[in-house]
């Protein structure tokens, strides 16, 4: 049975199901319940996260399992690492991925490396949920997409869902995975609705999803940009091109086979990644195809990314920062060497 | 705040023998690593614990395998006091496949999670949140365990000191934060780097007890740890214990230690030496006989000699081990 729920509700539901299934699953972070130790506050009045994504969990599971933390990321993200290594299965919320600067050591040097440094004698079943993404008018320190930073680090898994159904199944996989997973949630997707199965289900980490089948062009798009790709694909139909849209869903591990098979079929690749362009997932996927799929290519690979600048506040500039379907059409025009292609 | 001196005869005969043996093991192990390192046999670099034995042993004398410790880059002493296998430790320092971490961690990451030893740590200040996390598990799963966070004076100026202790204090977690103030963070004197006179003074900011202990007096450390552990196990929250101590070797092997004076080195090696002091103590209290102490000393020399032989005869890891244990699963 499916029903339409939002991206935010799907994530909430995944956590609820995980916490019901396993009492070792706890949730901790800044105001994930909200208003701890405020006597007059009823649990149903508690925030449930700054965006309300964790709302209601404290009512069902209590404050021993839904822990409000001080605004001290190194402290509670670091604590989550060993809480995981000693028998719990924590979901730690790093409110905005931009705050990783305050706890990078705990993620990069502790969570990611513990197992390897200890010769396989430890496991760290930790999920760090974190918001990313521009378009929320949240300015430079609350808007970046930093998944490339984590994809670079061995020992971490990186998941970036684009739909409510994927978010639920992938979050459940992440929580019950025995390795540390960084789970990215685009804040501008929270209200997006989609059909989601009821009950417990998982989607394997490391398996891309072909969101649209096509034979003329492959677009690999990350997170919210999957929707940019799908809009562009609709527009390209009018130009006589059938586009295949691939959503990697996880960046580490990366489903190389699905990407390469698609490019083998279409001969053309565009990567849409709203992160900054240098040393990005876009360059990584492009390098993968240039290395292992060069013979498949009929045209140079195109990357549509943010420019090499921080996310601006003013809507006029922020809209320029992000990829758009129009930018995709321009890239296709360059690819096929026909400028008239984009003329309206 | 006063420096606590040993005040009771709280140590049993069996405990005294164990403590003497562990202190001797640490000293012997570190002196041996010092000797081997100078021959250029060992890869990488090592930070030796000799001189600080009373701290690790006085604290760990209260712990069993369900209890956790987090350690520092100077972690060999903590490992030994927490019951890690000497052969496995020495093999790890040699980078051998039989090491506690299969040669993947080395001196700075020796760990034995099954024994509650959550790892030496290459990051100064890395241990504070990690001890808090282990204590959170203990509290939520009601295991009765405590977590001890060993840290150096250098780490007391790190931001994680604040975040970790504050978190443990507000959640009343069973953590004992143990400062090993050996007077120098690398080559920089404690007095220069820290705005406080004593690390323990900082406990007041977290509304938790702070206690200063003579870190060369294993009995005093043992007694202070006992008080803190009772508090922790009773759900009363963390304690900060500052042990004033001294490292006999440099920050790392190869450090010429020009920042130390010859007089202080001499004084700590002889007059203030923790092992000699404890030896005299147990003899004067007639807890252990001279003969028994000599037996322990002989046994320790043998054990460390065997550890070196074990390490030297052990194989190195194979090429295929490079990619093992990065993940539990990665497909």
């Amino acid at each position: 049975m499916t029903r339409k729920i939002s991206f935010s509700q799907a994530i909430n539901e995944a956590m609820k199901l995980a916490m019901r299934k396993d009492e070792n699953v706890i949730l901790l972070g800044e105001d994930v319940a909200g208003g701890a130790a405020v006597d007059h506050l009823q649990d149903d009045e508690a925030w449930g996260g700054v965006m309300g994504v964790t709302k209601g969990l404290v009512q069902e599971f209590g404050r021993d399992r839904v822990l409000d933390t001080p605004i001290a990321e190194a402290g509670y993200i670091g604590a989550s690492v060993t809480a995981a290594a000693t028998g719990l299965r924590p979901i730690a919320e790093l409110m905005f991925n931009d705050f990783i600067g305050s706890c990078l050591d705990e993620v990069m040097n502790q969570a990611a490396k513990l197992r390897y440094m200890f010769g396989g004698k430890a496991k760290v079943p930790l999920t760090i949920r974190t918001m990313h993404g521009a378009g929320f008018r949240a300015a430079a320190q609350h808007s970046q997409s930093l998944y490339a930073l984590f994809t670079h680090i061995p020992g971490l898994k990186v998941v970036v869902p684009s739909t409510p159904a994927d978010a639920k199944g992938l979050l459940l996989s992440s929580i019950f995975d025995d390795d540390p997973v960084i789970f990215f949630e685009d804040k501008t997707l929270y209200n997006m609705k989609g059909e989601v199965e009821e009950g417990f289900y998982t989607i394997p980490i490391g398996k891309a999803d072909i969101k649209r089948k096509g034979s003329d062009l492959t677009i690999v798009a990350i997170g919210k940009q999957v929707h940019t790709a799908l809009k562009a694909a609709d527009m390209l139909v009018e130009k006589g091109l059938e586009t295949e849209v691939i959503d990697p869903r996880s960046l580490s591990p990366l489903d190389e086979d699905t990407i390469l098979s698609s490019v083998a079929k279409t001969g053309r690749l565009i990567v849409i990644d709203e992160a900054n362009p240098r040393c990005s997932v876009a360059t990584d996927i492009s390098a993968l195809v240039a290395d292992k799929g060069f013979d498949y290519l009929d045209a140079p690979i195109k990357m549509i990314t943010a420019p090499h600048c921080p996310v601006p506040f003013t809507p006029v500039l922020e809209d320029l920062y992000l990829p758009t379907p129009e930018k995709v059409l321009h890239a296709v025009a360059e690819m096929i060497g026909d400028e008239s292609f984009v003329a309206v | 705040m006063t420096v606590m001196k040993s005040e009771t005869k709280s140590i049993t005969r069996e405990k005294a023998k164990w403590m003497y043996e562990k202190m001797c093991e640490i000293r012997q192990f570190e002196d041996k690593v010092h000797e081997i390192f100078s021959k250029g046999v060992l890869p990488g670099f090592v930070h030796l614990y000799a001189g600080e034995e009373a701290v690790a042993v006085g604290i760990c004398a209260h712990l069993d395998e369900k209890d956790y410790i987090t350690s520092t880059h100077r972690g060999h002493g903590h490992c030994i006091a927490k019951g890690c296998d000497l052969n496995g430790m020495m093999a790890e320092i040699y980078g051998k496949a039989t090491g506690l971490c299969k040669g993947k961690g080395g001196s700075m990451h020796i760990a034995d999670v099954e024994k509650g030893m959550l790892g030496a740590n290459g990051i100064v200040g890395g241990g504070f949140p990690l001890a808090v996390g282990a204590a959170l598990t203990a509290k939520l799963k009601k295991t009765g365990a405590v977590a001890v966070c060993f840290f150096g004076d250098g780490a007391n100026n790190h931001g994680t000191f604040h975040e970790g202790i504050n978190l443990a204090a507000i959640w009343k977690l069973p953590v004992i934060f143990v400062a090993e103030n050996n007077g120098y963070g690398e080559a920089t004197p404690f007095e220069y780097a820290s705005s406080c006179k004593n690390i323990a003074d900082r406990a007041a900011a977290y509304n938790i007890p702070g206690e200063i202990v003579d870190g060369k007096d294993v009995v005093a450390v043992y007694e202070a740890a006992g008080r803190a552990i009772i508090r922790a196990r009773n759900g009363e929250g963390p304690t900060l214990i500052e042990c004033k101590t001294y490292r006999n070797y440099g920050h790392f092997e190869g450090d010429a230690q020009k920042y130390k004076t010859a007089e202080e080195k001499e004084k700590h090696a002889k007059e203030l030496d923790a092992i000699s002091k404890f030896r005299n103590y147990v003899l004067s209290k007639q807890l252990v006989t001279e003969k028994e102490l000599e037996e322990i000393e002989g046994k320790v020399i043998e054990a460390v000699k065997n550890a070196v032989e074990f390490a030297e005869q052990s194989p190195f890891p194979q090429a295929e081990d490079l990619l093992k244990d990065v993940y539990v699963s990665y497909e």
Side-chain angles (χ1 to χ4, degrees):
Chain A
M1 262 289 278
T2 68
R3 72 276 190 251
K4 258 194 158 76
I5 58 171
S6 70
F7 193 78
S8 165
Q9 287 168 321
I11 289 165
N12 182 288
E13 193 167 281
M15 287 187 279
K16 195 180 288 176
L17 291 168
M19 293 181 82
R20 281 179 191 163
K21 188 183 167 75
D22 182 351
E23 64 175 12
N24 290 318
V25 178
I26 61 165
L27 170 67
L28 70 171
E30 292 151 6
D31 287 307
V32 289
V38 177
D39 290 339
H40 67 262
L41 187 81
Q42 303 298 309
D43 280 344
D44 63 357
E45 297 170 328
W47 272 13
V50 280
M51 299 290 192
V53 178
T54 52
K55 194 157 180 70
L57 297 177
V58 72
Q59 281 167 272
E60 181 169 348
F61 303 106
R63 286 187 180 267
D64 271 353
R65 292 180 67 196
V66 182
L67 292 143
D68 283 340
T69 66
I71 302 171
E73 291 82 6
Y76 76 83
I77 296 283
S80 302
V81 176
T82 35
T86 56
L88 295 174
R89 198 170 273 284
I91 308 165
E93 183 175 303
L94 176 63
M95 191 186 294
F96 292 88
N97 74 167
D98 313 70
F99 301 170
I100 189 61
S102 299
C103 57
L104 186 57
D105 179 67
E106 286 66 28
V107 177
M108 175 181 77
N109 275 321
Q110 315 296 347
K113 296 176 184 170
L114 223 59
R115 182 173 180 77
Y116 193 79
M117 292 192 303
F118 295 179
K121 291 181 188 165
K123 59 178 187 179
V124 184
L126 164 65
T127 302
I128 298 177
R129 295 177 39 245
T130 190
M131 273 192 275
H132 77 111
F136 205 66
R137 317 315 187 198
Q141 295 173 342
H142 291 72
S143 297
Q144 211 171 352
S145 285
L146 290 167
Y147 32 72
L149 203 63
F150 301 91
T151 304
H152 185 71
I153 299 170
L156 302 177
K157 294 181 179 178
V158 178
V159 174
V160 192
S162 68
T163 68
D166 284 356
K168 181 178 167 184
L170 286 164
L171 182 53
L172 280 166
S173 283
S174 302
I175 294 167
F176 290 103
D177 196 284
D178 281 338
D179 291 311
V181 180
I182 318 294
F183 187 89
F184 284 84
E185 301 170 10
D186 192 310
K187 60 184 92 60
T188 65
L189 289 180
Y190 277 143
N191 292 327
M192 191 193 81
K193 292 201 165 175
E195 292 291 333
V196 177
E197 282 283 342
E198 286 180 343
F200 191 100
Y201 68 90
T202 57
I203 293 173
I205 297 171
K207 187 84 195 84
D209 186 40
I210 300 173
K211 289 282 192 269
R212 178 186 176 121
K213 288 254 181 207
S215 53
D216 301 321
L217 163 71
T218 299
I219 299 181
V220 177
I222 298 156
K224 178 175 66 179
Q225 297 312 322
V226 167
H227 304 289
T228 306
L230 291 169
K231 275 185 206 132
D234 283 341
M235 293 157 82
L236 286 166
V237 171
E238 293 165 23
K239 309 284 183 184
L241 287 177
E242 286 298 331
T243 305
E244 182 141 300
V245 176
I246 295 177
D247 176 359
R249 300 196 291 199
S250 78
L251 305 177
S252 180
L254 180 69
D255 182 351
E256 298 185 0
D257 291 346
T258 299
I259 295 169
L260 288 166
S261 303
S262 178
V263 177
K265 179 172 68 177
T266 65
R268 296 187 183 91
L269 174 66
I270 291 176
V271 185
I272 314 179
D273 175 4
E274 73 162 83
N276 302 110
R278 303 276 176 234
C279 300
S280 63
V281 174
T283 56
D284 186 65
I285 291 173
S286 301
L288 164 78
V289 173
D291 181 20
K292 296 186 183 168
F294 188 75
D295 290 343
Y296 308 143
L297 290 168
D298 296 328
I301 299 164
K302 292 287 176 192
M303 286 177 275
I304 298 164
T305 68
H308 189 63
C309 72
V311 180
F313 165 66
T314 183
V316 176
L317 294 179
E318 191 180 30
D319 290 347
L320 292 175
Y321 176 93
L322 282 164
T324 60
E326 291 72 24
K327 289 179 185 173
V328 179
L329 261 60
H330 274 281
V332 176
E334 277 180 36
M335 230 175 190
I336 63 175
D338 182 357
E339 286 300 321
S340 67
F341 190 81
V342 283
V344 180
Chain B
M1 211 167 293
T2 53
V3 178
M4 301 298 290
K5 291 280 179 198
S6 50
E7 58 201 11
T8 64
K9 293 175 191 166
S10 57
I11 297 171
T12 64
R13 185 181 132 73
E14 284 314 306
K15 188 66 84 182
K17 283 172 75 177
W18 181 88
M19 286 163 82
Y20 187 71
E21 180 173 331
K22 288 294 153 186
M23 287 173 77
C24 288
E25 269 182 17
I26 295 171
R27 177 68 56 86
Q28 183 65 22
F29 190 93
E30 296 296 62
D31 285 351
K32 185 56 79 177
V33 173
H34 171 77
E35 178 194 320
I36 300 164
F37 188 87
S38 68
K39 293 180 188 158
V41 176
L42 299 175
F45 48 104
V46 288
H47 308 84
L48 302 181
Y49 194 78
E52 304 185 21
E53 296 87 352
V55 181
V57 171
I59 303 281
C60 290
H62 292 278
L63 308 181
D64 60 35
E65 287 188 4
K66 76 172 188 302
D67 298 312
Y68 298 104
I69 66 167
T70 64
S71 174
T72 68
H73 55 288
R74 198 175 306 290
H76 303 170
H78 307 133
C79 286
I80 292 172
K82 196 66 175 60
C84 292
D85 173 54
L86 293 187
N87 289 2
M89 283 181 63
M90 193 64 87
E92 187 61 33
I93 294 167
Y94 270 77
K96 296 296 182 78
T98 55
L100 283 181
C101 304
K102 301 179 189 166
K104 297 273 192 66
S107 166
M108 266 190 294
H109 308 297
I110 301 187
D112 193 343
V113 178
E114 281 178 14
K115 286 202 172 352
M117 165 55 189
L118 296 174
N121 209 309
I123 306 298
V124 170
F128 298 107
L130 300 180
V132 170
L136 181 63
T137 299
K139 183 180 177 181
L140 294 183
K141 291 175 85 79
K142 300 183 173 63
T143 65
V146 301
V148 174
C149 172
F150 290 103
F151 65 99
D153 49 280
N156 112 97
N157 300 314
H158 200 283
T160 49
F161 171 93
H162 174 63
E163 294 197 22
I165 298 181
N166 183 64
L167 200 51
I170 65 161
W171 285 346
K172 292 211 180 309
L173 296 177
V175 190
I176 299 91
F177 294 98
V178 179
E180 300 178 316
N181 187 348
N182 63 24
Y184 301 94
E186 299 184 5
T188 299
F190 167 73
E191 293 76 15
Y192 170 86
S194 302
S195 67
C196 56
K197 191 154 173 275
N198 302 293
I199 296 170
D201 296 344
R202 291 184 165 170
Y206 306 101
N207 201 19
I208 64 168
E211 196 167 317
I212 302 170
V213 177
D214 176 1
K216 294 288 204 167
D217 178 351
V218 71
V219 181
V221 174
Y222 179 79
E223 287 169 352
R227 291 186 284 275
I229 286 167
I230 288 169
R231 256 178 63 75
R233 295 207 205 273
N234 285 345
E236 295 169 57
T239 301
L240 173 56
I241 300 173
E242 177 181 7
C243 302
K244 305 276 192 188
T245 185
Y246 192 80
R247 59 170 145 80
N248 290 357
Y249 293 113
H251 166 61
F252 46 72
E253 281 306 275
D255 171 7
Q257 307 176 67
K258 293 286 174 63
Y259 48 87
K260 294 180 176 175
T261 65
E263 293 75 30
E264 69 176 71
K265 282 161 84 170
E266 174 77 7
K267 194 175 170 194
H268 280 280
K270 303 245 167 82
E271 182 190 333
L272 297 177
D273 180 61
I275 298 178
S276 308
K277 194 187 239 177
F278 187 55
R279 198 179 199 287
N280 292 337
Y281 174 87
V282 294
L283 288 172
S284 70
K285 299 280 178 192
Q286 296 182 320
L287 271 170
V288 188
T289 64
E290 176 78 36
K291 185 165 174 288
E292 285 172 317
L293 293 177
E294 282 169 8
E295 276 170 18
I296 289 171
E297 287 155 11
K299 188 174 138 195
V300 163
I301 289 169
E302 192 64 18
V304 172
K305 186 167 154 274
N306 289 343
V308 172
E309 278 173 21
F310 174 81
E312 288 185 343
Q313 286 163 13
S314 289
F316 283 106
Q318 304 289 308
E320 64 260 29
D321 294 323
L322 176 66
L323 300 182
K324 275 189 193 153
D325 296 324
V326 183
Y327 295 89
V328 177
S329 66
Y330 197 94
E331 285 148 16

